[in-house]
Amino acid sequence: MSHLDPDRMQFDTRLIHAAAPDPRIAGSVVTPIFQSAMGVQPPEGPASPQEALASLQYIRLHNTPNHLEIQGRLASLEGAEAALVCASGMAAISASLLSVVVPGDHLLVCDQLYGGSHALIHGELNRLGVSSTTVDGSDPGSWRAALRPETKAFYLETMTNPLLRLPDLPAAAAFSKEHGLVSLTDNTLASPVLCRPIEVGIDISLHSATKYLNGHSDILAGAVLGSEKWVGEIASRLTLLGGCLDPNACFLLTRGLKTLGVRMERQCTNAQALAEFLAGHPAVEHVNYPGLPGHPGSVQAREWLSGWGGLLSFELAGGESAARKLVQAVLIPAYAPSLGGTETLITMPVDSSHAILSPEERQAAGVGPGLVRVALGIEGQADLIEDFRQALEFCA
Ligand code: PLP
């Protein structure tokens, strides 16, 4: 095979080789960092304005060799026509929503959104004259009643954080097509290993690449995946908003992404094992993890999700005070926000992902003051379970 054909490669091979520069740049096995703000243009002048634009190379235009490689690779992983990397997950989400709606439009949004997205939609977009109605993502029968003539888009999360609810993604894609809406899902928690929303019929897939895609908790990045048309529009808007990703961060993201398949596999098995251990412990009242029997929607979700991810949350019988003791007693997990890295993290969403919400909004989202969230890393499973076992002794 003289040329690698991404369409014929397995997922794990595409993680490493899809969209790699061909021929290799200066013979480099790994694409070097192009830490140059701009590239030269032909001084004799371009033949046309289109050629002038095409010859512009500038980091804010997302077109260094580092951008082109990571963007091509991400598109290949989710079967999208195109992809764009951004300075953060919120840059990806805000540039996308600002490209889809204009003042006067209305959005359908699934419940239990990530706190930043909730604040963007209900605060910033509302301030700009975009209204929204929250619907139960797992109850397609309830969506039609929320439609208005000015409804423009349906915004979802593939798996919600921290309760791991599983909106009916294929139904949302079909409903959006039927009613002429643009469908978007935040695919951060599933990653392309567990879900490829474009293949399910969703228009735009979004990521906080800070999480599983990079996987090492050392950069902030975001990604938008979809058709050439949508990604092109969002890229033009992001160019003006300035939320571009630096080439150094593109390089780190490309490096981190190579191990996504093996990391995710370990994170899923660690999460399943910890969820089962916690569910059987007398100090634990309730565990939210789709791999446990009875988790809402997980039977249907097998159709579009190939695993249950590396995140779980739980409540202790002793409530908030017991939860505070637990997060201080665990030895391996750091008490920190975020998720998707190699090291296990523990947090109480009231201090992190949902701190931006009012107590009433948190209550409505089902995020109680004693909820504990664990984002599993890739440490040894027995060590993690032993750590939680010893920590739970402080919580009686
Ligand atoms: N989406 C989800 C599900 C998240 O958990 C986060 C951050 O925690 C974001 C989006 C925002 O990503 P970033 O912090 O990279 O802007």
Side-chain angles (χ1 to χ4, degrees):
M1 183 158 59
S2 65
H3 256 315
L4 285 172
D5 175 3
D7 294 338
R8 298 177 60 188
M9 288 189 250
Q10 288 178 275
F11 184 86
D12 284 310
T13 312
R14 278 183 275 145
L15 280 172
I16 300 174
H17 295 291
D22 183 15
R24 298 179 193 282
I25 298 171
S28 260
V29 170
V30 171
T31 306
I33 307 171
F34 284 80
Q35 199 70 52
S36 174
M38 72 294 279
V40 295
Q41 285 186 287
E44 64 278 13
S48 65
Q50 288 80 2
E51 247 185 50
L53 271 179
S55 72
L56 270 175
Q57 195 189 90
Y58 193 57
I59 292 174
R60 188 158 49 73
L61 298 175
H62 333 284
N63 62 3
T64 71
N66 297 109
H67 287 85
L68 300 182
E69 179 174 16
I70 185 66
Q71 290 172 165
R73 190 159 302 167
L74 289 172
S76 157
L77 294 178
E78 286 199 12
E81 280 176 17
L84 167 74
V85 287
C86 317
S88 67
M90 286 313 300
I93 295 167
S94 55
S96 298
L97 283 172
L98 288 170
S99 299
V100 166
V101 291
V102 294
D105 283 347
H106 171 252
L107 275 173
L108 289 189
V109 295
C110 80
D111 48 355
Q112 303 187 352
L113 293 186
Y114 162 65
S117 306
H118 177 99
L120 173 75
I121 290 168
H122 299 289
E124 289 308 298
L125 290 186
N126 197 263
R127 195 174 62 82
L128 297 175
V130 177
S131 58
S132 56
T133 303
T134 300
V135 294
D136 178 345
S138 55
D139 181 12
S142 67
W143 300 342
R144 191 177 291 265
L147 275 181
R148 297 188 199 160
E150 63 274 22
T151 307
K152 195 64 173 290
F154 195 174
Y155 185 86
L156 303 113
E157 292 184 3
T158 310
M159 299 172 120
T160 70
N161 168 12
L163 300 181
L164 286 308
R165 291 288 147 76
L166 308 168
D168 191 333
L169 224 50
F175 179 86
S176 299
K177 284 202 172 54
E178 184 188 345
H179 297 285
L181 314 181
V182 182
S183 54
L184 307 95
T185 191
D186 180 334
N187 201 36
T188 300
L189 262 60
S191 91
V193 176
L194 306 183
C195 182
R196 289 174 286 285
I198 308 286
E199 291 174 1
V200 172
I202 295 287
D203 295 309
I204 300 172
S205 169
L206 300 160
H207 286 271
S208 167
T210 312
K211 313 293 187 315
Y212 291 104
L213 296 184
N214 178 58
H216 292 76
S217 304
D218 51 10
I219 58 164
L220 224 67
V224 178
L225 290 78
S227 63
E228 298 269 8
K229 173 189 159 289
W230 273 120
V231 173
E233 265 187 49
I234 296 163
S236 309
R237 192 142 289 103
L238 192 72
T239 295
L240 299 179
L241 295 170
C244 54
L245 192 64
D246 185 77
N248 185 54
C250 290
F251 171 86
L252 288 172
L253 178 55
T254 308
R255 184 169 74 170
L257 187 69
K258 290 180 185 181
T259 54
L260 175 67
V262 287
R263 282 187 282 106
M264 202 63 185
E265 198 179 316
R266 171 67 72 86
Q267 283 162 315
C268 289
T269 51
N270 277 350
Q272 182 72 41
L274 183 62
E276 286 172 11
F277 166 74
L278 291 170
H281 196 286
V284 178
E285 188 161 280
H286 179 72
V287 183
N288 302 301
Y289 188 65
L292 292 179
H295 186 88
S298 59
V299 173
Q300 301 87 306
R302 280 180 197 281
E303 220 184 281
W304 63 92
L305 280 166
S306 56
W308 305 125
L311 198 80
L312 59 83
S313 61
F314 58 98
E315 306 256 8
L316 292 175
E320 188 181 353
S321 64
R324 288 281 168 204
K325 284 185 200 150
L326 177 83
V327 298
Q328 292 173 71
V330 285
L331 301 172
I332 296 175
Y335 190 69
S338 202
L339 55 114
T342 51
E343 47 288 294
T344 296
L345 301 177
I346 193 165
T347 187
M348 293 175 65
V350 65
D351 294 347
S352 51
S353 59
H354 288 63
I356 198 168
L357 270 57
S358 67
E360 297 72 35
E361 286 173 319
R362 277 199 292 271
Q363 171 110 24
V367 176
L371 189 72
V372 178
R373 188 190 82 181
V374 183
L376 275 299
I378 62 170
E379 299 96 337
Q381 197 182 101
D383 290 337
L384 286 167
I385 291 185
E386 190 43 44
D387 191 19
F388 275 85
R389 189 194 313 280
Q390 68 77 26
L392 282 164
E393 281 171 19
F394 295 88
C395 304

